[in-house]
Amino acid sequence: MKKYNEIIQLELKHLYRVPFLETMIATLVFACLIGVVQASTRGPELNLYSFSDYNSTHMIGITLEGFQEMTISGFVLGPTYGMVFIVFLIPMMIAASISRGFENGLHKTLLSYPFSRKEVLLCKIVIPVIALALPCLATSFVATSILTPGYLDLITISIFSLAFIAVCFAIASVSAVIALLSKNSLITSSIGVLIWYAILFVYVPPPDVPLLYGILNPMSTSIAFIMDSGGAIQLSEVLLSLVGCLIMAVLLILIADRVFKHTEI
Amino acid sequence: MKALRKYEISITFVLSEPICNEYLSIGWSCNEMSEEYIISISDVSKTFNHIPALRGVNLDIQPGIFGLIGPNGAGKTTLLRISLGLIRPDTGLVKILGLDSQKHSVKIREEIGVLHEHPYYPKNLRVSEFLDWVKNMRSESREIGELLDLVDLSGAENKKIGALSAGMYQRLGLAQALCGEPKIIFLDEPTSNLDVTGRDKIAKLILQLHNEIGVSFFISSHILSELERVCHSVGFLREGVLVDSGKTREIIEKHTKGWYRVLTSDPQALLKILEGEPMFKDCSTSDANAITVRIGEEKMETIRSKVENLVKGSGILLYGIDRASSLEEVYRRVMIDEEIQ
């Protein structure tokens, strides 16, 4: 753990120094707050327009169910707004960290010290995920708790938070593989961003969500599950997409580890 | 008489070189060396895009200061990177302190320090912050102040790394390599960015560190004068092939025996005169003020008087004759001449 701590410290001091990381986190926090405030003040119709096909029966149902639904939506909407930024911030951070390491020789320096390549790679993948995902979730949780106190559901929070973190990991691991194969920061950031904008912002309405889409975008599945009280999406489907996404991210990290092991520095 | 007086001046100059003391100290520590190999390279080959960078290199290095010599592109850095586990060889094995450099690279890096050619250190960190970070990774290490003193960087601890001069940056590289009581320090072109004074300081520092704390060095460089000054043993790498290796003085003796440098005011004219003499073989102008000749086992006095007799009345001034016994001459023999052949 000491070695991970050292690498993370260097990355935070050197690469993500003021105002880079702070600006990104501030932007994300602001986006999350807007999401929560909008959901909490404008009412449930915003959620319906955002996350499912407009359906008047459904809307009435949610309106009748009342305030609790709205609260959950607030927590969901914050990180979803944040994801708009995260989709380009994570590939950008991975590009700055992994690809740039090849370009400026930081990997060579790091691997002159007793760090294994796995430790270096894991730190570089984990830092953006933790630095960006956790503030988003925390902001949404706190803001929702303040604006609509007492209406946070543990299962919903858990499912959505896991889905959100899984997507962040998937974005980071895909970017890491691209970074290691290309060793080019421009390619890493641009391709990483384009892939995930395409995946996350193509809307596939339930209930006919293909498994692969569910794995690539568990956020969409979990939002549909949270919003849809009619049961169009089952909990098992949500869990499948969640676990699938996490497995995909882990597999990609393992691939990145193999690639990095054989990469000449 | 005029020429003779110049010989005396020349000899006096050589003896008064401060480096003599350093040679004495090298001789002392050579005797102290153990016979164990700290680095063992066996049949290492490496190809980049079908271009061979290393071809079956075999090399065993004892504790001390080793210099890997070769022109740019000879494969020096590749060999160093393989030794550090940064790249994999196509064939062969490198053992550092008895450990396989590929399988145990992390363990090896706990025991060594590295200064890469064109190293990259986080430019926004302060010198002390960076060294503190390096120090935290090592189980035992000197204090930062002591490290900075060793590399002559005292007073620069609060400077940002990005604001350091090339020489200071290089010395910082040496300081970070010294963190943690390393057994071997790998230096890749350690003085390439430095001026003469900077090179001199680094060379002295390497010797001092070896003599005081017993750390061994593996230095890759193409600056021969500096390697001759500090290295106990050397290896010559040309186009990925290890042409020769051994103790520095033995290598120099082996390749320059019978070769002399004649310092003169007119090398071209002297060359024409000496080329006609059977005693002087393989004459060539080695630089603007000297020619190199192979003479054989003659005494220096005999050679001197012979050359003086030959140039008498020609108006050519002789400034001195000395053994062409330097790594530079060995480099000419081993690298350039063999390439031409």
Side-chain angles (χ1 to χ4, degrees), chain A residues 50 113 141 201 231 253:
Chain A
S50 299
Y113 305 119
F141 181 81
F201 295 98
I253 290 171

Side-chain angles (χ1 to χ4, degrees), chain B residues 311-332:
Chain B
V311 300
K312 201 175 278 178
S314 66
I316 300 170
L317 292 178
L318 289 179
Y319 299 131
I321 297 178
D322 55 29
R323 289 278 309 278
S325 59
S326 64
L327 271 184
E328 210 164 310
E329 291 298 333
V330 179
Y331 188 88
R332 278 199 193 100

Side-chain angles (χ1 to χ4, degrees), chain B residues 17 44 52 60 84 89 117 185 191 202 217 242 278 283 294 312 322 339:
Chain B
E17 272 273 350
V44 168
D60 290 315
L84 299 174
E117 185 183 16
I185 295 180
T191 57
I202 295 285
F217 285 88
L242 189 75
C283 303
R294 187 159 62 84
K312 201 175 278 178
D322 55 29
E339 197 168 0

Side-chain angles (χ1 to χ4, degrees), chain A residues 97-165:
Chain A
S97 172
I98 298 179
S99 311
R100 190 59 69 81
F102 289 109
E103 292 162 359
N104 63 15
L106 186 62
H107 290 324
K108 207 165 62 175
T109 302
L110 276 176
L111 293 174
S112 304
Y113 305 119
F115 298 128
S116 70
R117 294 188 186 216
K118 189 181 281 175
E119 287 161 351
V120 172
L121 184 69
L122 274 180
C123 286
K124 284 172 184 284
I125 291 175
V126 164
I127 289 172
V129 175
I130 291 177
L132 301 183
L134 294 188
C136 273
L137 291 172
T139 306
S140 296
F141 181 81
V142 171
T144 311
S145 304
I146 293 168
L147 291 170
T148 50
Y151 289 99
L152 279 167
D153 174 69
L154 185 65
I155 293 172
T156 308
I157 292 168
S158 310
I159 287 176
F160 181 75
S161 301
L162 273 174
F164 182 71
I165 290 170

Side-chain angles (χ1 to χ4, degrees), chain B residues 110-154:
Chain B
E110 284 171 3
E111 305 285 340
I112 63 170
V114 185
L115 170 59
H116 289 285
E117 185 183 16
H118 311 305
Y120 179 84
Y121 306 120
K123 295 201 163 45
N124 60 312
L125 293 192
R126 293 183 193 285
V127 168
S128 56
E129 277 179 324
F130 176 62
L131 288 178
D132 196 40
W133 178 80
V134 179
K135 193 175 151 241
N136 282 343
M137 278 179 297
R138 309 286 191 182
S139 48
E140 287 175 25
S141 181
R142 279 161 226 284
E143 290 305 312
I144 291 170
E146 194 187 341
L147 279 169
L148 292 173
D149 278 346
L150 267 176
V151 298
D152 198 15
L153 263 183
S154 308

Side-chain angles (χ1 to χ4, degrees), chain A residues 20-237:
Chain A
F20 190 52
L21 188 63
E22 285 79 353
T23 309
M24 288 193 301
I25 292 173
T27 309
L28 282 173
V29 166
F30 184 67
C32 289
L33 280 174
I34 287 180
V36 177
V37 170
Q38 278 195 349
S40 305
T41 54
R42 288 181 58 193
E45 72 274 16
L46 182 70
N47 305 319
L48 289 170
Y49 287 125
S50 299
F51 303 117
S52 63
D53 286 334
Y54 176 76
N55 180 315
S56 57
T57 315
H58 192 191
M59 182 182 168
I60 291 163
I62 287 180
T63 312
L64 289 173
E65 278 172 30
F67 199 53
Q68 185 180 3
E69 284 285 331
M70 193 173 74
T71 315
I72 293 164
S73 302
F75 178 72
V76 167
L77 197 60
T80 309
Y81 272 31
M83 186 52 79
V84 176
F85 296 96
I86 282 178
V87 165
F88 73 82
L89 287 178
I90 288 184
M92 201 174 85
M93 285 173 81
I94 295 279
S97 172
I98 298 179
S99 311
R100 190 59 69 81
F102 289 109
E103 292 162 359
N104 63 15
L106 186 62
H107 290 324
K108 207 165 62 175
T109 302
L110 276 176
L111 293 174
S112 304
Y113 305 119
F115 298 128
S116 70
R117 294 188 186 216
K118 189 181 281 175
E119 287 161 351
V120 172
L121 184 69
L122 274 180
C123 286
K124 284 172 184 284
I125 291 175
V126 164
I127 289 172
V129 175
I130 291 177
L132 301 183
L134 294 188
C136 273
L137 291 172
T139 306
S140 296
F141 181 81
V142 171
T144 311
S145 304
I146 293 168
L147 291 170
T148 50
Y151 289 99
L152 279 167
D153 174 69
L154 185 65
I155 293 172
T156 308
I157 292 168
S158 310
I159 287 176
F160 181 75
S161 301
L162 273 174
F164 182 71
I165 290 170
V167 171
C168 289
F169 259 115
I171 296 173
S173 52
V174 166
S175 301
V177 173
I178 299 170
L180 290 164
L181 293 175
S182 69
K183 297 180 186 172
N184 182 300
S185 37
L186 181 67
I187 291 173
T188 306
S189 50
S190 54
I191 294 184
V193 170
L194 287 174
I195 286 175
W196 286 100
Y197 264 118
I199 291 170
L200 292 177
F201 295 98
V202 170
Y203 178 65
V204 179
D208 302 320
V209 179
L211 181 64
L212 179 65
Y213 181 80
I215 288 172
L216 288 171
N217 188 358
M219 265 176 74
S220 172
T221 324
S222 61
I223 289 169
F225 173 75
I226 292 162
M227 300 303 298
D228 184 14
S229 52
I233 296 278
Q234 301 298 311
L235 181 63
S236 58
E237 289 176 78

